[in-house]
Amino acid sequence: MALMTGEQYMESIRNMNMQVYMFGEKIENPADHPILRPSLNSVRMTYDLAQMPEYEDLMTAKSHITGEKINRFAHIHQSTDDLCKKVKMQRLCGQKTAACFQRCVGMDAFNAVYSTSYECDQAHGTNYHDNFLKFLEYCQTNDLTTDGAMTDPKGDRSKAPHEQEDPDLFLRVVERRPDGIVVRGAKAHQTGIINSHEVLVMPTISMGEKDKDYAVAFSVPVDTKGIYMIIGRQSCDTRKLENTTMDVGNPEFGGVEALVVFDDVFVPNDRIFLNGEYEFAGVLVERFAGYHRQSYGGCKVGVGDVLIGAAAVAAEYNGVQKASHVKDKLIEMIHLNETLYCCGIACSAEGSATPSGNYLINLLLANVCKQNITRFPYEIARLAEDIAGGLMVTAPSEKDLKDPVIGPVVEKYFKGVANVSTENRLKILRLIENLTLGTAAVGYRTESMHGAGSPQAQRIMISRQGNLAEKKALAKSLAHIEE
Ligand code: SF4
Ligand code: FE
């Protein structure tokens, strides 16, 4: 089975025995919990779209290992065309969910570990690339979703992993056995972990010799003994418990993040992809971050498409769609959104092959892409709120609208143009609220700032990759400066 249907995917997650906690309780059936279900629906979309002939070219690819048709989210990029299609696929998924569809972290981790394990083997005679290929083939053939887990809790940011007062603040190897290793620690902000079959763990920063035990990469099923997850709160999350649809804004889809704890988890030898070769930690981080910074040039643009559309609908419902300033604001939003897309496509088109054969994005352009993402979605959200008007945050609830006594009053006084129902007007405002301030704001707003690394992380990469020396030489040469 190289492609699962959405329904098969849902069932496969339901059959896992994950340890999930939320609001101080253990959740017995996360897949069907009203707060968590929308996040599962978003990942499901990556399966549903892959079944549709019109999206086959974007959503699927040919496995370079088996030659079989696989979901592109499990693909190893074989060309710049693959890199471009990845971004287009993510824009499509963003448009269809208006949420984080979570499966990209695994795809980005696959591609980063693929090339890094190869280079580590070349340098050290290790066997990590073969281990990884076996794991990858298993994920491709069974169409699994993998969580790419990088971010450690990090404790005191001024200290290296081995200098932390609590050594568990970075995930590490605590025991080496003949048949494998035992790891302890945690990964924070894990997008989609509860909707994944496997977790692919990587180190979070470049490391020195004293951090050897922290330089570890591996994969295990998410329901392995010793792994448990604590769900992160989202703004307005409990609205999903109210049994209404309008107030949620985007009733079907959402994202999810969790803290994942590895409480002495055993990893067998054939699932280890890095184990002490500390000089490859930085390479792995740089590549994963680069791929995920490229990803944002797709997913955030797709969600941006929905937000721009929602703002335009809100303008029509208010009767202001012909006002020149409103038109201009929509143009500005499109300009910003397409600029982000340009960055996603550019870093893909300028990609190149790694020694292992897979394709890596242009790292400078991928970092510029993400740096713009830390800014433009905020401006797009600001303009959407401007166009939407204050009612977006002062409108009464769906229960008030449906109430037999006060409902007609709400209906009458919150009416916009005559031919649009108050209900539709409030629905579109709630969608904008969801994207800018509600549950989806995690994925569209703050994640634009901090996901795939905070702004300063990109600036460090831009300064490293920007080749200032060459630019200075150009200037000196033209000015006939000889030193
Ligand atoms: Fe994919 Fe975007 Fe979510 Fe990252 S933030 S997992 S790129 S949808
Ligand atoms: Fe992300």
Side-chain angles (χ1 to χ4, degrees):
M1 175 190 33
L3 287 179
M4 263 201 269
T5 63
E7 205 41 62
Q8 287 168 334
Y9 160 70
M10 301 284 250
E11 219 26 57
S12 67
I13 293 293
R14 254 187 222 112
N15 289 337
M16 294 188 73
N17 184 26
M18 294 183 206
Q19 312 300 310
V20 178
Y21 293 84
M22 183 171 62
F23 299 138
E25 283 173 17
K26 181 146 185 278
I27 308 295
E28 287 314 328
N29 182 7
D32 293 307
H33 192 285
I35 288 186
L36 304 174
R37 177 63 181 258
S39 71
L40 187 69
N41 290 343
S42 299
V43 185
R44 181 198 168 132
M45 185 58 82
T46 69
Y47 290 86
D48 285 339
L49 291 172
Q51 301 279 338
M52 299 180 191
E54 64 268 42
Y55 300 126
E56 186 184 8
D57 186 47
L58 283 191
M59 296 299 305
T60 66
K62 189 172 147 189
S63 164
H64 78 295
I65 309 173
T66 63
E68 296 284 311
K69 182 161 100 172
I70 54 166
N71 193 298
R72 187 173 293 281
F73 279 97
H75 187 48
I76 295 297
H77 314 302
Q78 300 297 306
S79 61
T80 53
D81 187 48
D82 270 348
L83 290 169
C84 289
K85 280 185 177 155
K86 171 196 161 184
V87 170
K88 290 178 186 182
M89 168 180 76
Q90 290 167 310
R91 184 171 188 171
L92 174 71
C93 293
Q95 290 171 342
K96 298 288 187 189
T97 59
C100 168
F101 37 89
Q102 306 147 58
R103 207 173 166 186
C104 329
V105 276
M107 166 176 54
D108 293 339
F110 285 156
N111 276 277
V113 175
Y114 185 88
S115 58
T116 311
S117 60
Y118 179 89
E119 286 164 43
C120 183
D121 285 0
Q122 298 286 308
H124 290 281
T126 43
N127 198 36
Y128 300 142
H129 193 64
D130 275 354
N131 286 351
F132 182 69
L133 278 178
K134 249 180 39 203
F135 165 65
L136 179 69
E137 187 179 338
Y138 167 71
C139 293
Q140 288 185 344
T141 311
N142 295 287
D143 202 9
L144 302 182
T145 290
T146 297
D147 172 79
M150 179 160 279
T151 311
D152 289 85
K154 297 201 287 274
D156 181 342
R157 270 61 172 170
S158 70
K159 293 192 165 124
H162 72 275
E163 294 169 336
Q164 298 287 331
E165 204 174 302
D166 180 347
D168 297 340
L169 290 175
F170 286 78
L171 189 142
R172 67 196 170 118
V173 179
V174 289
E175 193 188 336
R176 290 191 164 82
R177 297 188 196 162
D179 54 346
I181 53 174
V182 177
V183 296
R184 186 187 304 159
K187 293 286 178 181
H189 327 298
Q190 285 312 297
T191 296
I193 181 81
I194 61 162
N195 302 321
S196 302
H197 305 96
E198 294 276 334
V199 55
L200 172 48
V201 170
M202 300 161 284
T204 199
I205 46 170
S206 41
M207 291 176 181
E209 198 176 348
K210 287 187 179 152
D211 296 319
K212 251 177 140 178
D213 289 341
Y214 297 85
V216 61
F218 62 87
S219 69
V220 280
V222 172
D223 56 1
T224 300
K225 187 167 171 275
I227 295 182
Y228 57 95
M229 303 152 226
I230 306 164
I231 301 289
R233 285 218 72 167
Q234 297 175 339
S235 169
C236 309
D237 48 9
T238 47
R239 285 193 195 180
K240 290 176 183 166
L241 297 173
E242 290 172 6
N243 239 338
T244 58
T245 54
M246 188 178 89
D247 292 354
V248 178
N250 183 355
E252 232 173 297
F253 300 104
V256 70
E257 275 79 24
L259 177 80
V260 190
V261 181
F262 293 77
D263 189 10
D264 290 356
V265 172
F266 175 70
V267 183
N269 281 330
D270 65 350
R271 285 296 195 94
I272 299 173
F273 316 129
L274 189 74
N275 182 13
E277 296 77 9
Y278 57 89
E279 72 274 30
F280 283 93
V283 182
L284 188 46
V285 172
E286 199 173 283
R287 290 186 187 167
F288 173 75
Y291 282 123
H292 210 54
R293 288 167 195 174
Q294 168 209 26
S295 285
Y296 281 29
C299 79
K300 300 289 178 268
V301 180
V303 179
D305 286 326
V306 177
L307 184 53
I308 294 167
V313 172
E316 278 173 25
Y317 288 180
N318 280 343
V320 296
Q321 76 273 25
K322 293 201 177 118
S324 63
H325 74 97
V326 171
K327 282 195 213 159
D328 193 56
K329 280 164 189 158
L330 290 167
I331 292 167
E332 177 67 9
M333 291 163 87
I334 294 169
H335 162 70
L336 291 168
N337 204 41
E338 297 300 334
T339 304
L340 299 175
Y341 185 56
C342 293
C343 293
I345 292 295
C347 69
S348 307
E350 292 280 295
S352 56
T354 67
S356 68
N358 78 336
Y359 270 66
L360 183 64
I361 57 292
N362 176 302
L363 284 173
L364 174 59
L365 296 184
N367 279 278
V368 170
C369 177
K370 173 68 215 312
Q371 183 80 177
N372 283 334
I373 298 273
T374 65
R375 300 169 182 173
F376 296 0
Y378 282 81
E379 181 62 8
I380 293 170
R382 190 184 74 80
L383 290 166
E385 288 182 30
D386 180 347
I387 292 172
L391 185 57
M392 177 189 123
V393 289
T394 61
S397 70
E398 180 176 339
K399 282 184 182 154
D400 291 317
L401 180 69
K402 300 266 164 79
D403 184 79
V405 179
I406 52 169
V409 180
V410 173
E411 180 82 43
K412 175 182 163 77
Y413 286 110
F414 290 110
K415 183 104 180 153
V417 293
N419 62 347
V420 172
S421 68
T422 300
E423 182 174 358
N424 282 351
R425 185 175 179 224
L426 295 182
K427 273 183 177 168
I428 206 72
L429 295 179
R430 287 294 181 209
L431 177 61
I432 298 173
E433 182 198 28
N434 174 259
L435 285 164
T436 54
L437 304 168
T439 52
V442 179
Y444 187 66
R445 199 183 175 117
T446 311
E447 195 178 44
S448 287
M449 179 70 77
H450 293 292
S454 308
Q456 190 57 23
Q458 290 111 55
R459 297 186 84 78
I460 291 166
M461 281 300 288
I462 290 169
S463 93
R464 249 193 251 155
Q465 305 266 335
N467 207 347
L468 204 52
E470 187 192 296
K471 290 173 177 44
K472 288 199 290 191
L474 289 171
K476 283 182 187 170
S477 154
L478 284 168
H480 291 207
I481 293 173
E482 279 171 26
E483 286 172 336

